[in-house]
Amino acid sequence: MLYSTTTPEQKRLKLRELLNSGTIAQFPGAFNPLSARLIEEKGFPGVYISGAVLANDLGLPDIGLTTLTEVATRAGQIARMTELPCLVDADTGFGEPMNVARTIQELENAGLAGCHIEDQFNPKRCGHLDGKNVVDTDTAAKRIRAAADARRDANFLIMARTDIRAVDGIQAAQERAKALVDAGADAIFPEAMKDLSEFQAIRDAVDVPILANMTEFGKSELFTAEQLQGAGVNMVIYPVTLLRIAMGAAERTLETIKATGTQEAQVENMLTRARLYDLVDYEAYNQFDTGVFNFQVPGLSR
Ligand SMILES: C[C@](O)(C(=O)O)[C@H](CC(=O)O)C(=O)O
Ligand SMILES: [Mg+2]
């Protein structure tokens, strides 16, 4: 009830344990605090908070328009509603190395377990689109060094994302990954890998945990968790999956209402009132005030 009882420090430790467990950790992307609850209930070990989802949710494209305040606030709202560790997408860190340092401290304050900082130029783009540009190794390394030095909890995970594969190829990605680890990255997110052998190539280049991005309609095939684990991947995200499916359902339902004059045909696809109440732990609030949950709702058992 109310907010998570697991402290940010415990969540950060948990994330470290997950990444070192030898079993790939699947982190679906939450598009709001309630969906983070669902992710937790379904038994996933952690929650991803996508920059693309955050931007798109505001009606904006994912090109670096969102601000640190918006990202830290929303990510904090999500993180406090789940016992699970949350990894947030911090894009390019919101500015120069000094801004990156502040970003890390704000994300720590917001209760996140870690974040990733990428080596794209501003304005950044979705990692699976063409025409991206990356900064030079020195600039990228400075961002990561600033991030690593700024954290106050040594377990706050600094993940370095590199987008260089799409620009200069897999060998450049290996070199960049090594340099980012040397700069203090705890983990590597190699973006837009073409196939499993490319994940393996990154695995061979660095000793830290690596992340696979299984975003739909992108440059990577949708590999199974087992396939990815076989290629040495420690963590996999499904960043926009829940937003896409929820928006798909919303679109179909609006069409149904338009076409038939009622939503009736879509009701069977909905989360029922009872399930919704379960997710917000309605019953627990009754312990404070027995007047809160003593009503009868037709169909509550559905
Ligand atoms: C992972 C990602 O950075 C995100 O913001 O979720 C995006 C996802 C996407 O646009 O599909 C990405 O750049 O891959
Ligand atoms: Mg992103």
Side-chain angles (χ1 to χ4, degrees), residues 48 50-52 62 89 91 116 118 124-126 161:
Y48 179 69
S50 149
D62 180 24
D89 178 354
D91 288 345
H116 59 78
E118 68 205 32
K124 55 141 293 144
R125 297 158 160 262
C126 162
R161 162 169 154 174

Side-chain angles (χ1 to χ4, degrees), residues 22-42:
T23 304
I24 190 165
Q26 295 173 287
F27 278 41
F31 58 88
N32 61 13
L34 187 61
S35 61
R37 283 275 179 91
L38 196 55
I39 291 166
E40 178 179 327
E41 195 191 88
K42 292 296 167 195

Side-chain angles (χ1 to χ4, degrees), residues 48-54 56 62 89 91 116 118 120 124-129 132 161 163 189 191-192 211 213-218 237-240 244:
Y48 179 69
I49 302 171
S50 149
V53 166
L54 235 136
N56 295 168
D62 180 24
D89 178 354
D91 288 345
H116 59 78
E118 68 205 32
Q120 286 201 55
K124 55 141 293 144
R125 297 158 160 262
C126 162
H128 290 254
L129 295 185
K132 287 185 302 186
R161 162 169 154 174
D163 284 69
F189 173 170
E191 178 64 315
L211 174 148
N213 176 10
M214 289 294 104
T215 194
E216 303 84 10
F217 318 110
I237 54 169
Y238 309 93
V240 197
R244 288 197 230 274

Side-chain angles (χ1 to χ4, degrees), residues 30-226:
F31 58 88
N32 61 13
L34 187 61
S35 61
R37 283 275 179 91
L38 196 55
I39 291 166
E40 178 179 327
E41 195 191 88
K42 292 296 167 195
F44 289 91
V47 170
Y48 179 69
I49 302 171
S50 149
V53 166
L54 235 136
N56 295 168
D57 191 54
L58 293 168
L60 298 169
D62 180 24
I63 50 173
L65 291 171
T66 49
T67 66
L68 169 59
T69 308
E70 284 172 335
V71 171
T73 302
R74 188 58 166 165
Q77 288 171 344
I78 293 173
R80 74 189 180 195
M81 276 303 173
T82 173
E83 310 298 336
L84 302 178
C86 295
L87 178 77
V88 66
D89 178 354
D91 288 345
T92 56
F94 304 99
E96 298 304 312
M98 204 182 293
N99 304 87
V100 176
R102 177 151 191 258
T103 294
I104 299 304
Q105 298 200 346
E106 289 295 330
L107 296 178
E108 280 185 326
N109 290 348
L112 278 304
C115 71
H116 59 78
I117 308 269
E118 68 205 32
D119 59 1
Q120 286 201 55
F121 258 102
N122 269 312
K124 55 141 293 144
R125 297 158 160 262
C126 162
H128 290 254
L129 295 185
D130 297 322
K132 287 185 302 186
N133 244 316
V134 291
V135 296
D136 61 47
T137 303
D138 188 48
T139 309
K142 278 194 180 119
R143 283 183 191 166
I144 298 303
R145 199 163 298 123
D149 290 347
R151 68 186 149 189
R152 292 149 299 168
D153 180 347
N155 283 325
F156 183 88
L157 191 92
I158 308 288
M159 179 181 281
R161 162 169 154 174
T162 178
D163 284 69
I164 204 170
R165 159 70 186 89
V167 186
D168 292 331
I170 188 66
Q171 245 177 319
Q174 287 178 300
E175 291 312 310
R176 179 61 61 100
K178 280 189 210 161
L180 294 171
V181 172
D182 289 344
D186 302 310
I188 294 289
F189 173 170
E191 178 64 315
M193 295 289 99
K194 206 173 68 232
D195 53 33
L196 287 172
S197 75
E198 296 200 342
F199 284 109
Q200 186 67 56
I202 301 296
R203 169 75 296 147
D204 296 341
V206 295
D207 281 335
V208 299
I210 61 176
L211 174 148
N213 176 10
M214 289 294 104
T215 194
E216 303 84 10
F217 318 110
K219 297 240 185 263
S220 303
E221 230 180 278
L222 298 181
F223 300 113
T224 65
E226 206 182 350

